Amino acid sequence: MTTPYTASTTATQVAADLSSEITGKVVLTTGASPGSLGAFFVSAIAKHSPKLLILAGRNVSKLKTVATAIDADPASSHIVTRVLELDLASQGQIRQAAKEVLAYAENINVLVNSAGVMALPYSTTANGVEIQLGANHVGHFLFTNLITPKLLSSPVPRVVSVSSDGHRLSPIRWNDYGFGSGKTCDKWRAYGQSKTANMLFAESCGKAGRQGLRAYSLHPGVIHTNLGNSLSMEDFKSLS
């Protein structure tokens, strides 16, 4: 690190500091659609010669838009990208995506679990789990565990889960994580529960210490991305 990081530090600055850690790595990032935190992340590290960037998400055409932008940038035009269809709200599709990853010739050095939804009205995943807990945590939990062989084949594998300061909104509701099948659901508490789950997942991965696996969770800061596109100012005011 060459400079201290502050609240105004950008992904571009961090990537420049960690350039030697990025070079030659295979990085799989979930939620890398345009306007997302994942897209900003892969675009930033693409300038520092990773071996391969795997962009995962529900909408393949949107992922290709980000891949095309990386290729169009002279600073990253030499970088190889690959898109992976991954719907974290469907365990069946997650298993299909993981099967595809396990068939790759390359191992995975870094998995960044960046995809997420925020403060949605109550609904469930294809498997009946409250949508925010299901997509933000359960989907990533399943996907990460399924592709663990590809991670553990790397010298120093890393799993990074994007959590949020929003974890303060709710612990895990062990006795009723489904909010009474929606009858008592508060969308912000549901979001907080999912972000707490992200942190606990990172903690459990780290404690497991499987063959040197390193796991982290983080609060990315308060930034404008497409995560909040469906929310109004009234939604945010309800947090105060």
Side-chain angles (χ1 to χ4, degrees):
M1 186 184 346
T2 59
T3 57
Y5 298 147
T6 69
S8 61
T9 301
T10 66
T12 300
Q13 291 170 301
V14 176
D17 278 353
L18 301 178
S19 183
S20 62
E21 297 292 327
I22 298 168
T23 300
K25 296 296 194 301
V26 177
V27 183
L28 194 165
T29 304
T30 72
S33 60
S36 69
L37 186 67
F40 287 119
F41 169 72
V42 296
S43 297
I45 67 171
K47 298 176 176 62
H48 300 277
S49 298
K51 178 181 179 180
L52 170 66
L53 293 178
I54 304 165
L55 317 183
R58 287 180 300 171
N59 190 313
V60 170
S61 65
K62 289 184 178 181
L63 297 174
K64 288 180 178 179
T65 297
V66 175
T68 298
I70 290 172
D71 185 60
D73 187 333
S76 56
S77 58
H78 61 294
I79 300 304
V80 179
T81 60
R82 183 180 300 163
V83 299
L84 172 71
E85 182 178 0
L86 175 65
D87 182 355
L88 292 164
S90 168
Q91 293 181 25
Q93 202 287 315
I94 291 168
R95 293 181 184 280
Q96 182 59 41
K99 183 178 180 181
E100 186 174 336
V101 172
L102 292 174
Y104 289 165
E106 306 87 358
N107 295 319
I108 308 298
N109 298 108
V110 184
L111 168 63
V112 180
N113 290 324
S114 181
V117 294
M118 182 173 72
L120 296 181
Y122 179 82
S123 65
T124 64
T125 67
N127 302 91
V129 182
E130 187 277 319
I131 189 65
Q132 296 188 79
L133 184 64
N136 293 353
H137 167 61
V138 176
H140 278 128
F141 176 91
L142 177 60
F143 182 66
T144 301
N145 277 280
L146 289 173
I147 68 166
T148 289
K150 279 294 183 184
L151 286 160
L152 296 185
S153 296
S154 300
V156 186
R158 295 182 176 89
V159 176
V160 181
S161 295
V162 178
S163 181
S164 166
D165 192 49
H167 76 87
R168 302 177 188 277
L169 296 169
S170 179
I172 302 295
R173 295 163 48 91
W174 298 109
N175 294 325
D176 184 22
Y177 52 80
F179 293 88
S181 297
K183 296 181 180 67
T184 60
C185 190
D186 176 284
K187 60 187 179 183
W188 284 114
R189 291 178 69 191
Y191 176 68
Q193 174 177 237
S194 73
K195 294 293 101 179
T196 296
N198 290 154
M199 295 170 64
L200 292 176
F201 178 45
E203 185 74 11
S204 66
C205 282
K207 285 183 177 179
R210 294 176 293 188
Q211 297 180 31
L213 176 67
R214 300 179 182 181
Y216 310 88
S217 65
L218 61 91
H219 168 51
V222 180
I223 51 179
H224 179 70
T225 68
N226 60 10
L227 185 64
N229 284 354
S230 64
L231 300 174
S232 67
M233 287 306 298
E234 292 302 315
D235 288 313
F236 290 104
K237 287 179 181 178
S238 68
L239 284 171
S240 59

